[in-house]
Amino acid sequence: MTRLISLSGLFFCAFPVWAEVGDSMSILTTLGSLIFVVAIILVLALLLKKMRLPALGHQKDLMIIRQLPIGTKEKLLVVQAGEEQFLVGATSHSIQLISKLEQPLTSKSQAAEHPFAGQLNRFLKKE
C-alpha cells in the first residue's frame, strides 16, 4: 500500500495541477474506473463486430442455402432467389455470379446442419 502511495506521489509531482484537485487515491480510482469502462466498451465493440448477427427481418425470397469457405475471406455460396438457385463467389471486395443451378439443392434442416441449435430450440419450446 505504501508503495502505491509513493508511486502516486511521484505521478502527482510530475503533474502538480492534479495534486491540488484532491486526494490522490480518489483520482487514481477515477482514472482506473475510466480505463476499465473504456476497455469494456472496446471489448464489447470487438465482440459485436466479430459476431454475425442475423438480419432483423427474415427474408423468405432470398436466402443462402449452402456456403463453402475457400480462403480466409473467400467463399462459394448457393443463393436461392425465389425458386431459382445461383452459385456465387464472394470475396471481401466483390461478389461474382458463377452460374445458375439447373437442379436446385435441397436445404438442410437447421437441426441436421447445426445439432446444438436444434437441441436448443427443442429445449426452449418445452418451456
Side-chain angles (χ1 to χ4, degrees):
M1 182 72 176
T2 58
R3 187 175 204 183
L4 179 65
I5 293 172
S6 65
L7 287 176
S8 65
L10 288 174
F11 178 75
F12 288 113
C13 287
F15 300 101
V17 174
W18 286 15
E20 296 173 4
V21 172
D23 188 31
S24 64
M25 290 304 288
S26 66
I27 292 176
L28 285 177
T29 305
T30 304
L31 286 175
S33 300
L34 178 66
I35 291 170
F36 181 72
V37 169
V38 169
I40 287 178
I41 290 171
L42 290 175
V43 167
L44 288 176
L46 183 67
L47 285 175
L48 285 175
K49 185 178 179 182
K50 292 290 181 183
M51 290 174 54
R52 295 180 183 218
L53 299 176
L56 294 177
H58 295 290
Q59 299 176 351
K60 295 177 183 175
D61 294 337
L62 184 65
M63 63 180 171
I64 297 173
I65 302 297
R66 304 251 173 91
Q67 62 180 347
L68 175 68
I70 296 173
T72 56
K73 295 184 179 184
E74 299 84 18
K75 50 179 114 167
L76 285 175
L77 304 166
V78 176
V79 179
Q80 181 165 347
E83 297 296 320
E84 299 177 334
Q85 291 184 355
F86 302 95
L87 182 62
V88 176
T91 67
S92 60
H93 299 292
S94 68
I95 299 173
Q96 294 285 326
L97 174 65
I98 296 173
S99 71
K100 178 183 173 193
L101 297 179
E102 296 300 325
Q103 296 205 344
L105 298 175
T106 57
S107 63
K108 296 180 181 177
S109 68
Q110 183 181 6
E113 192 172 322
H114 303 288
F116 178 74
Q119 289 178 357
L120 183 63
N121 282 337
R122 283 194 301 270
F123 177 74
L124 291 175
K125 287 180 183 177
K126 288 180 183 178
E127 293 181 0

